Amino acid sequence: MNENTESALDPNKDDLPLMANTGYMLVRHYVLDLAVNFNRKVINGTIVLFLETNKTHKKVSNTMGTGWCPYSQALFETEQPGPSCNPTARVTDCASADKLSNRSNHSDGRVTNVNSCNHSNKEWANGSSGTREHCSDGEDFVLVLDCCDLVVNKVEEVNVIAAAGIEKLIRMDMPEPEGGIYSRRLQRDLQSSIVDDILGLAAERWQEQHRYYLQCSQAPGCGELQFQTDMWSLKIKKAGIQTHKDFPRVVRIWYETKPEGGSVRWTKDQSGRPCVYTAGSPINNRALFPCQEPPLAMATWQASVWAPEGSVVLMSGENCAEQHHAGALSKWFYYVTMLMPASTFTIAVGYWVEVKPERTIRSQMLSPSSSSCIHESCSVSLPTCGHPAYPCRFQNPIAQAQDCIPHRVFAPDCLKLRSQEVLLPLVAQCLSAARCVLGTHPFSRVDVLIVPASFSSLGMACPHIIFLSQSVLSGRNHLCGVRLCHEIAHAWFGLAIGARDWTEEWISEGFATYLEDVFWANAQKLSQEEAKEQQQLKSLLRWRRLRDEIQNSEEELQVLRPNKEKTGEVSDSGATIVKHGLNPGKIFMQVHYLKGYFVLHYLENRVGQKAFLRFFRLLVERFHGQLILSRPLLDDALKWTENRLVREVQNEVTKWVEINQKDRKSSFKRKRRRKDEVTFKELLQDQLVLLLELLLEVKSLSSRTLQRLQKQYCLREQDAEVRHRWCELVIKHKHTVAYGDLINFLEQDQAMGVYLYGELMVNEDARQQQLVHRCFTMLQEEMDPCLQKVVAEMIF
């Protein structure tokens, strides 16, 4: 990819542009100081960027081999760094969170009303300059950040020389200032020297490093910077600075999000309380804060978040934040000491409640016995890690011996008891099962949150936090356990090891899909034969889904490596695109999950699972904290072999087909026939899913047969996977007496309901289409925006 990449970026297409010119400067640390306002549906405050010159910017496209580092975190307990400013001062005149937006514009370093002042340089904004990442022939250098739907109010350079306690970093060989005042050049050199010293502190001195970051972020400004915003970026320059090497090293930005911004979702939880959370948007976090999004741009961060009293702030952070009360607001502080992509920054603010066991019974939280652990004896003495220095858990004996990391579960109040019954007992089991398979957990703690019904997925994994849909709480614990195992697997594949090119998402999703079976079998303590049979059953289900998706999706969206030979390449400035990254239908597709899974399944069949899992563990130990690229692996057709569990399902299908034939014949006779006695076999959850999928292939099922089917397996009480297939049968056969089940699914299981909307419309049945319009009208206000758009296109 050449330098013309930037000019080729077309925001009208479905490719997502990554605009940040990381080829010149890299953000190495963010300090955020933010306030959440539920009434206005905005987050406002400041973000301070600590920048480092990219000395190898001309070789960017050839030096992408190290460092995605969405890594693990600190191993040591530490006191929370001091507050960024006096909490009391923030709320002196604040009787409620509502008054947050009425405080003075620059009080305590935070912009609270971005509509009342404008520091943008209109002369530059109206001119033609500032559109290029690097300006020669006398033009000023422009720093480009990824940004969308943000109101930027002010940008300034921070005077780190004036930061408290910074004297220790001023070198003795620096010349004395004349008359107590440094020259402009000397001041710039001194600022750069201080920032370099902070960035260069050794990994074991991370606490000291973070204190310096915090102190510098509170230092006064030393001059406003000119800026422009456009659809996808924020451009910043300093008059007279023509090279990135002379650009300010610490920059403070005052900004505010917009209610319609795509990075966060403002909604209500299942108890009707307001909440906001990062929803895994296709545009990542650029509508939450200005940042650098290309994979090369890794950073650490600290964040102070002010939220209404009584609410809870959860975030990607190594520490378990304590709440600090200050009148109508509370402050929560989180930090991360590992270089991570800005896209992994995750926040959820709401009136969640922590789900705790009724009694603290240690046996409930015990991990699987050592005999159930896979390869627990194959631990390898690690060489020096291949990632940038940090307090790595893989090198720490205490972390290596940790069977289950600390964890918490949060949910809306109305789902507390159900979460306590279904989810809470599984977390420790699944975490321990994962550790038995892959070894040291990359992260020191994790929170699990049941998100609102409008969440557009069954789950999402981020560093230190997992989002789960309420759909996993339905039925028994099977769906919950499987999905939890999938998200836990992302801690290793997707976070600790990431794709160098974001279009190769199969590296993350394929590995997680494969490992969810292994983890869940281990958590259930299944025998080797039981585990093999269940995994083969899952393979069949996935093959059927993959076949359907291939038949019903655009061919371009099915490719695992859409950039082909250019995979991993970027322009010299660092800008690039994520192919099809803005396609609204892509986020609902499973092709990359399923194809990736079958790639790994094929390789497992060649070497055996035991050897293959040993390879997984070695892969983690070698590449944690780094980026990787895939190679073509689908050389042979994927094959599936029938097993006992599948034969059992096929036998049950035969019984139901015979019952249906008898029911249809008896419907033509007035005389009531004695019901034939049929013995049905008790089925596993995945067997039940396969049974319903096979019955969907039967041309016609009578209403009586469908009623018997629902009664036999209590389908209304099963998990969401089973109920989805039941709803498909209801739609196909126009089983009107069960339309209530269909309406309930569309309302309560929005993460999975999108497929049913399409089937309802394809059927071209007037009553079903009325049902679709009624449900959409009722739910569209709370729907995820992408889901809303896709459904609207289906029905209008």
Side-chain angles (χ1 to χ4, degrees):
M1 193 174 296
N2 57 38
E3 290 190 16
N4 293 325
T5 301
E6 293 91 333
S7 61
L9 297 178
D10 184 354
N12 295 317
K13 296 181 179 179
D14 67 353
D15 295 336
L16 173 67
L18 306 182
M19 303 296 291
N21 54 348
T22 55
Y24 299 104
M25 301 196 79
L26 294 170
V27 178
R28 286 309 188 192
H29 189 78
Y30 298 94
V31 177
L32 299 98
D33 189 15
L34 304 175
V36 176
N37 190 313
F38 283 124
N39 291 329
R40 295 181 57 224
K41 295 184 178 179
V42 298
I43 297 174
N44 61 10
T46 64
I47 182 169
V48 178
L49 282 55
F50 290 79
L51 297 158
E52 180 180 47
T53 300
N54 189 342
K55 299 180 177 61
T56 60
H57 72 275
K58 292 183 179 180
K59 300 179 181 179
V60 168
S61 59
N62 298 320
T63 57
M64 295 282 288
T66 60
W68 190 42
C69 294
Y71 313 157
S72 57
Q73 47 288 322
L75 309 170
F76 315 104
E77 294 294 331
T78 177
E79 293 182 4
Q80 177 174 297
S84 59
C85 57
N86 186 350
T88 306
R90 292 176 176 269
V91 292
T92 301
D93 301 317
C94 190
S96 69
D98 227 8
K99 294 184 180 179
L100 187 65
S101 61
N102 297 321
R103 301 205 309 268
S104 62
N105 296 327
H106 300 164
S107 62
D108 301 311
R110 182 198 309 248
V111 172
T112 56
N113 188 349
V114 297
N115 296 317
S116 64
C117 59
N118 182 5
H119 295 271
S120 174
N121 186 302
K122 294 184 179 180
E123 181 179 351
W124 184 45
N126 293 330
S128 60
S129 64
T131 59
R132 296 167 57 189
E133 283 70 17
H134 184 274
C135 305
S136 58
D137 300 327
E139 294 184 7
D140 296 333
F141 168 76
V142 178
L143 175 70
V144 182
L145 301 173
D146 292 295
C147 175
C148 178
D149 289 332
L150 294 179
V151 179
V152 177
N153 185 53
K154 179 183 176 182
V155 182
E156 70 174 357
E157 180 179 1
V158 177
N159 183 12
V160 297
I161 300 174
I166 211 68
E167 313 82 40
K168 300 176 183 178
L169 297 181
I170 298 179
R171 299 202 310 264
M172 298 299 294
D173 59 348
M174 293 296 292
E176 289 291 329
E178 297 181 8
I181 301 176
Y182 288 104
S183 68
R184 183 173 300 178
R185 181 71 196 185
L186 183 58
Q187 184 179 27
R188 188 164 61 219
D189 291 345
L190 182 54
Q191 298 239 36
S192 293
S193 174
I194 291 172
V195 174
D196 286 338
D197 286 348
I198 295 173
L199 293 174
L201 288 173
E204 61 270 18
R205 298 175 64 184
W206 67 266
Q207 292 171 287
E208 180 184 359
Q209 183 184 54
H210 273 232
R211 281 196 296 269
Y212 280 131
Y213 282 138
L214 199 59
Q215 289 164 350
C216 288
S217 73
Q218 300 167 8
C222 57
E224 294 188 20
L225 303 176
Q226 299 171 341
F227 66 90
Q228 285 182 339
T229 57
D230 57 28
M231 182 175 181
W232 292 115
S233 68
L234 166 65
K235 299 181 175 71
I236 304 170
K237 73 175 182 178
K238 181 176 181 179
I241 299 300
Q242 299 178 8
T243 170
H244 63 286
K245 296 179 180 179
D246 293 328
F247 194 79
R249 301 292 300 280
V250 184
V251 174
R252 182 185 292 120
I253 303 170
W254 281 266
Y255 75 97
E256 180 174 275
T257 65
K258 295 181 180 179
E260 68 273 18
S263 294
V264 295
R265 178 91 169 106
W266 298 91
T267 186
K268 292 185 178 180
D269 66 20
Q270 293 86 337
S271 296
R273 304 297 300 276
C275 62
V276 61
Y277 60 95
T278 45
S281 168
I283 65 170
N284 298 318
N285 283 325
R286 66 179 68 185
L288 176 59
F289 58 90
C291 58
Q292 293 181 330
E293 289 206 332
L296 178 66
M298 305 300 143
T300 55
W301 61 72
Q302 305 171 66
S304 297
V305 179
W306 298 79
E309 180 67 28
S311 62
V312 174
V313 177
L314 303 177
M315 188 185 293
S316 303
E318 297 166 12
N319 59 315
C320 187
E322 295 182 1
Q323 185 178 10
H324 293 262
H325 304 278
L329 300 177
S330 294
K331 175 190 168 186
W332 305 73
F333 178 83
Y334 288 90
Y335 64 86
V336 168
T337 62
M338 281 24 98
L339 292 169
M340 303 171 71
S343 61
T344 65
F345 181 96
T346 307
I347 186 172
V349 184
Y351 294 87
W352 332 109
V353 295
E354 184 175 356
V355 180
K356 299 181 179 180
E358 293 183 0
R359 303 188 307 273
T360 304
I361 303 179
R362 180 170 176 78
S363 61
Q364 292 179 344
M365 307 302 288
L366 287 177
S367 62
S369 64
S370 59
S371 61
S372 70
C373 292
I374 301 176
H375 314 313
E376 74 275 40
S377 62
C378 69
S379 178
V380 178
S381 178
L382 285 173
T384 302
C385 296
H387 55 73
Y390 67 84
C392 179
R393 286 175 55 80
F394 288 88
Q395 294 283 3
N396 185 275
I398 297 176
Q400 291 174 1
Q402 193 175 26
D403 187 62
C404 182
I405 61 174
H407 54 274
R408 302 180 299 179
V409 174
F410 291 85
D413 188 61
C414 65
L415 293 178
K416 179 179 179 180
L417 292 180
R418 186 61 179 163
S419 299
Q420 184 182 69
E421 177 185 354
V422 177
L423 173 59
L424 185 62
L426 292 176
V427 180
Q429 297 174 27
C430 295
L431 285 171
S432 297
R435 183 261 179 186
C436 287
V437 176
L438 294 181
T440 306
H441 198 288
F443 300 99
S444 60
R445 69 171 198 94
V446 66
D447 288 332
V448 182
L449 172 65
I450 298 295
V451 288
S454 59
F455 187 60
S456 61
S457 172
L458 283 179
M460 184 175 77
C462 308
H464 318 286
I465 187 168
I466 290 173
F467 291 169
L468 290 179
S469 165
Q470 66 176 27
S471 296
V472 304
L473 300 179
S474 60
R476 289 176 285 181
N477 68 1
H478 176 80
L479 179 60
C480 187
V482 170
R483 194 66 204 188
L484 184 60
C485 286
H486 181 98
E487 304 306 335
I488 289 173
H490 277 310
W492 285 269
F493 293 96
L495 296 175
I497 299 175
R500 189 190 303 179
D501 188 314
W502 285 352
T503 62
E504 290 198 307
E505 61 200 83
W506 81 266
I507 295 176
S508 171
E509 298 300 349
F511 274 81
T513 302
Y514 174 88
L515 286 168
E516 74 180 46
D517 296 348
V518 181
F519 291 177
W520 183 231
N522 196 22
Q524 295 176 94
K525 304 181 183 179
L526 298 180
S527 68
Q528 185 174 355
E529 186 62 27
E530 289 174 325
K532 182 179 179 180
E533 289 179 338
Q534 288 197 16
Q535 288 163 16
Q536 289 178 336
L537 174 60
K538 292 287 286 189
S539 291
L540 173 61
L541 290 172
R542 289 173 181 138
W543 172 249
R544 295 172 63 86
R545 293 175 197 166
L546 178 59
R547 181 191 62 188
D548 291 342
E549 287 228 0
I550 290 176
Q551 292 174 349
N552 297 289
S553 61
E554 300 175 42
E555 186 174 349
E556 279 192 359
L557 301 182
Q558 300 172 14
V559 180
L560 292 186
R561 299 178 75 240
N563 289 331
K564 299 179 181 177
E565 70 278 359
K566 294 184 178 180
T567 299
E569 292 186 4
V570 298
S571 67
D572 287 345
S573 76
T576 185
I577 61 172
V578 180
K579 197 167 183 63
H580 307 303
L582 294 177
N583 188 308
K586 189 173 183 295
I587 62 175
F588 300 106
M589 295 180 61
Q590 298 185 47
V591 167
H592 292 78
Y593 293 68
L594 300 171
K595 280 190 173 182
Y597 163 80
F598 280 111
V599 167
L600 300 174
H601 189 268
Y602 165 74
L603 294 174
E604 180 205 278
N605 286 338
R606 296 189 63 179
V607 299
Q609 188 182 78
K610 184 175 181 180
F612 196 45
L613 290 177
R614 186 179 299 115
F615 164 74
F616 270 45
R617 193 154 180 166
L618 293 172
L619 189 68
V620 169
E621 291 170 343
R622 180 179 177 185
F623 290 109
H624 67 275
Q626 299 178 62
L627 295 166
I628 58 175
L629 289 173
S630 68
R631 293 291 181 266
L633 296 173
L634 293 175
D635 298 327
D636 299 308
L638 301 175
K639 298 179 181 179
W640 172 83
T641 303
E642 183 182 303
N643 72 351
R644 176 183 62 83
L645 296 178
V646 177
R647 287 196 298 271
E648 290 176 356
V649 174
Q650 291 173 334
N651 291 337
E652 298 303 294
V653 170
T654 300
K655 294 177 186 177
W656 282 107
V657 171
E658 292 175 352
I659 289 172
N660 183 60
Q661 291 173 344
K662 292 179 181 179
D663 284 343
R664 293 180 66 83
K665 290 179 181 179
S666 64
S667 65
F668 294 102
K669 300 181 180 180
R670 294 183 179 179
K671 185 177 180 180
R672 184 180 181 86
R673 299 180 59 180
R674 183 176 60 85
K675 185 183 297 185
D676 295 330
E677 294 294 331
V678 179
T679 302
F680 294 101
K681 183 172 182 60
E682 185 175 350
L683 300 177
L684 299 171
Q685 289 294 105
D686 287 332
Q687 285 183 303
L688 187 52
V689 171
L690 180 58
L691 171 73
L692 298 180
E693 288 198 357
L694 294 176
L695 288 176
L696 276 166
E697 297 178 356
V698 178
K699 183 176 181 180
S700 177
L701 294 176
S702 70
S703 178
R704 183 180 299 177
T705 300
L706 291 171
Q707 290 179 23
R708 292 178 66 176
L709 185 70
Q710 195 286 131
K711 184 177 180 180
Q712 173 64 35
Y713 300 111
C714 302
L715 296 178
R716 294 190 179 100
E717 301 171 14
Q718 298 293 340
D719 66 30
E721 290 275 11
V722 174
R723 288 186 288 109
H724 188 280
R725 272 66 174 190
W726 167 239
C727 288
E728 290 183 85
L729 283 169
V730 170
I731 294 170
K732 176 178 179 178
H733 301 292
K734 300 180 177 63
H735 188 43
T736 57
V737 297
Y739 278 4
D741 299 342
L742 181 56
I743 293 171
N744 185 65
F745 191 93
L746 292 176
E747 180 180 355
Q748 298 298 322
D749 299 277
Q750 295 182 34
M752 301 176 67
V754 63
Y755 306 101
L756 298 181
Y757 282 104
E759 293 179 26
L760 284 164
M761 295 305 297
V762 168
N763 245 10
E764 296 184 349
D765 177 79
R767 186 169 178 180
Q768 289 187 0
Q769 292 188 358
Q770 289 177 1
L771 184 152
V772 168
H773 286 276
R774 187 166 68 251
C775 287
F776 182 71
T777 301
M778 177 179 63
L779 298 173
Q780 61 178 332
E781 292 297 326
E782 67 176 77
M783 272 187 174
D784 175 84
C786 289
L787 175 61
Q788 183 189 77
K789 181 177 179 180
V790 170
V791 174
E793 290 176 351
M794 290 179 183
I795 67 179
F796 294 114

